[in-house]
Amino acid sequence: MIIIRTAAELEAYTGRELQNGHSIGFVPTMGALHAGHLSLVEKAVQGNDVTVVSVFVNPTQFNNPTDLATYPRDEEADIRLLAQAGVDVIFMPTVEEIYPGGLEGRERHEYALGTAAEVMEGKFRPGHFQGVAEVVARLFALVRPTRAYFGEKDFQQIAVIRNMVESEGIKVDIIACPIKRADDGLALSSRNALLSPEQRAVAPEIRKALVDSLEYARNHSVQATHDTVVERIDAVPGLETEYFEIVDARTLLPITEWDEAPEVVGCITVYCGKVRLIDNILYKTINK
Ligand code: AMP
């Protein structure tokens, strides 16, 4: 395994691999790696000739400076975990390598991300998805992956990236991977490291409320299901729902009737103290 820190070196490496006819699996991350990230890495290692994992806390996708400043980082542990997972390259760039000209001087481009980028995370984190699209497009241009792996924990992000790939004409297979959870159901997240023991103890209530709402949804309206989830979570001291939206899983737009869309997902963001946690649950799916 090698660690690459410059864009030029990465481009040269992936260029050689592509010349040799090798497939490249790519997993973009912001580090502070956990079993969720590693499940994506495992799929990439299994499904491709070589695997590249990037570890880069992307400033342009943070709309809140405190969130960026407190985002957990652990380069040493990340390197150890990725070596064990069998990846070929870790890309750990500086901000200047990703954004030539620096954050202020960089070239700007407005990505066409569709309506999926305007709701939920798009509404509550202005600029977030443009920042995600910017970093992912830059990384895709350097890595030129055959397949790129993303977690369904960030359900909306996958839809937005699919739109970006299409509007930019990038050739890559986007592979969606299931959410990894702790034994008590809490979705694994780098941000979980920021929870106090008391906060960590109540955080699984988010998942419990979502799971219990599956049964409730069978004989209640979309609105009633929404309300029961929000009321239950907000009744837990230390938890506060930012939004919970029940949406068409393809468009990410809200629905009002269960039969409005073949696939329906509920996406939630909850503040646990100052820590922002996200999760989602599938209410309806089509058998594939
Ligand atoms: P992040 O480092 O938070 O930007 O996440 C990097 C990738 O890992 C994204 O595609 C996430 O959706 C994915 N990911 C994060 N947490 C999980 C999880 N618990 N299960 C599956 N994938 C995850």
Side-chain angles (χ1 to χ4, degrees):
M1 184 187 76
I2 54 174
I3 299 171
I4 293 180
R5 295 190 186 269
T6 68
E9 269 177 275
L10 180 64
E11 230 177 344
Y13 172 91
T14 54
R16 282 194 301 275
E17 293 300 326
L18 292 171
Q19 280 261 304
N20 289 334
H22 291 164
S23 60
I24 300 178
F26 178 48
V27 184
T29 82
M30 298 206 296
L33 301 179
H34 50 68
H37 297 112
L38 296 176
S39 70
L40 274 53
V41 171
E42 193 181 324
K43 282 216 170 79
V45 170
Q46 279 170 3
N48 299 276
D49 296 318
V50 295
T51 297
V52 177
V53 178
S54 62
V55 174
F56 177 65
V57 181
N58 174 37
T60 69
Q61 73 188 68
F62 284 82
N63 55 313
N64 174 347
T66 315
D67 189 22
L68 174 60
T70 56
Y71 197 83
R73 298 166 200 243
D74 192 344
E75 191 174 297
E76 232 172 84
D78 291 347
I79 293 170
R80 200 175 52 242
L81 289 169
L82 292 174
Q84 284 165 2
V87 318
D88 300 278
V89 173
I90 311 179
F91 182 47
M92 295 183 139
T94 58
V95 170
E96 286 67 32
E97 288 294 328
I98 295 295
Y99 300 116
L103 286 179
E104 299 304 321
R106 75 194 198 274
E107 227 174 87
R108 301 277 191 121
H109 170 71
E110 189 79 12
Y111 291 90
L113 305 177
T115 49
E118 284 160 27
V119 293
M120 302 190 287
E121 292 296 280
K123 201 158 66 189
F124 285 92
R125 300 184 73 187
H128 169 67
F129 283 127
Q130 281 297 325
V132 170
E134 189 177 14
V135 73
V136 173
R138 170 78 171 138
L139 291 166
F140 279 2
L142 295 174
V143 178
R144 291 157 289 174
T146 318
R147 300 177 190 87
Y149 298 78
F150 292 89
E152 284 177 340
K153 181 166 83 75
D154 300 279
F155 194 87
Q156 191 178 2
Q157 173 170 274
I158 298 180
V160 171
I161 285 172
R162 286 192 201 280
N163 289 349
M164 185 276 281
V165 160
E166 181 158 352
S167 64
E168 294 293 309
I170 301 171
K171 256 196 74 199
V172 58
D173 264 353
I174 302 296
I175 316 272
C177 307
I179 306 175
K180 280 274 172 195
R181 300 181 177 281
D183 288 344
D184 58 16
L186 179 64
L188 296 180
S189 164
S190 302
R191 288 192 167 89
N192 292 353
L194 302 172
L195 297 172
S196 69
E198 296 74 25
Q199 290 170 332
R200 178 63 187 79
V202 295
E205 291 300 320
I206 302 166
R207 167 73 173 166
K208 287 199 188 106
L210 292 176
V211 170
D212 287 349
S213 78
L214 288 177
E215 183 61 36
Y216 187 89
R218 290 158 71 95
N219 44 27
H220 290 85
S221 68
V222 172
Q223 185 65 48
T225 305
H226 166 276
D227 295 349
T228 192
V229 167
V230 174
E231 277 162 27
R232 175 156 163 199
I233 291 175
D234 288 352
V236 178
L239 295 183
E240 195 183 344
T241 308
E242 183 176 51
Y243 67 78
F244 175 51
E245 290 200 20
I246 298 175
V247 301
D248 180 327
R250 297 159 311 171
T251 62
L252 282 290
L253 299 179
I255 58 158
T256 50
E257 306 291 335
W258 292 114
D259 59 10
E260 239 173 87
E263 291 197 284
V264 174
V265 65
C267 298
I268 196 160
T269 293
V270 176
Y271 273 97
C272 188
K274 287 193 163 39
V275 186
R276 193 171 183 275
L277 301 175
I278 71 172
D279 204 343
N280 60 74
I281 194 154
L282 212 50
Y283 285 103
K284 244 176 90 178
T285 184
I286 37 181
N287 290 328
K288 289 179 190 148

